Structures are given as structure tokens and as C-alpha cells.
Amino acid sequence: MKRALFAGLAFALGACTSHATYSYDNLPKGYHWRAVYDRGEKAVVFYGVDPMTRDTVYVGPDSEFYIFHHSGTIQGRDLRRHWTPHDVL
């Protein structure tokens, strides 16, 4: 009985941890991330490219993800376009 309970608990815990939590330190796969030093932020930030839409994806040390359509670096107006991080399928 205890063994079955333990096996069920281990399975449930494994299922809970199988979903990735993305952050600045754990970037989604498939976006060809590149590190860029942002002088204004005085920190390294990451830019990636969505392979489906070719939009630029951005994340900084605060682990907030944004997406925008223009080339170049993120602009103030882009901070309204939050992006939900996910691996490329």
C-alpha cells in the first residue's frame, strides 16, 4: 500500500515538473537567441526570432518576454506586447 502511494506521489510530482517555466535563465528552444549588452539597462538581454512569424522576441533580466514586428532593438512602445514563452514545436 505504501509503495503504491509513493509511486502515485512520484508520478504526480513528475507531471507537475514536466512543464517548463521559462525565464531569462531558461529560454524557450528554437528561437536562435543572441545575447546583447544593453547600455541603457546595463545588463545583458536576449533577442530571438520566431521562426513562424519572423517577429523579434525579447527578454531581459526581469524575465518579462515581449514580441515586436520591426527590426532593431526593443522600443518603449513594444513594452505593451507581452509574449507568452513556449518552445517552437
Side-chain angles (χ1 to χ4, degrees):
M1 178 79 164
K2 286 183 183 178
R3 184 174 293 194
L5 181 60
F6 179 77
L9 180 59
F11 176 80
L13 289 174
C16 291
T17 59
S18 65
H19 298 286
T21 301
Y22 297 105
S23 70
Y24 176 81
D25 296 318
N26 181 32
L27 300 172
K29 294 177 179 79
Y31 293 88
H32 305 286
W33 296 100
R34 62 185 170 88
V36 175
Y37 182 76
D38 184 320
R39 292 179 192 185
E41 292 290 323
K42 296 183 179 161
V44 173
V45 297
F46 290 92
Y47 288 93
V49 176
D50 185 317
M52 299 298 286
T53 64
R54 307 301 296 161
D55 290 340
T56 301
V57 180
Y58 166 91
V59 64
D62 62 358
S63 294
E64 292 290 328
F65 288 81
Y66 300 93
I67 192 166
F68 52 92
H69 303 295
H70 61 81
S71 61
T73 60
I74 194 165
Q75 305 296 312
R77 67 182 180 268
D78 301 322
L79 299 177
R80 292 173 281 180
R81 303 219 39 213
H82 287 271
W83 182 71
T84 303
H86 54 84
D87 290 338
V88 174
L89 301 177

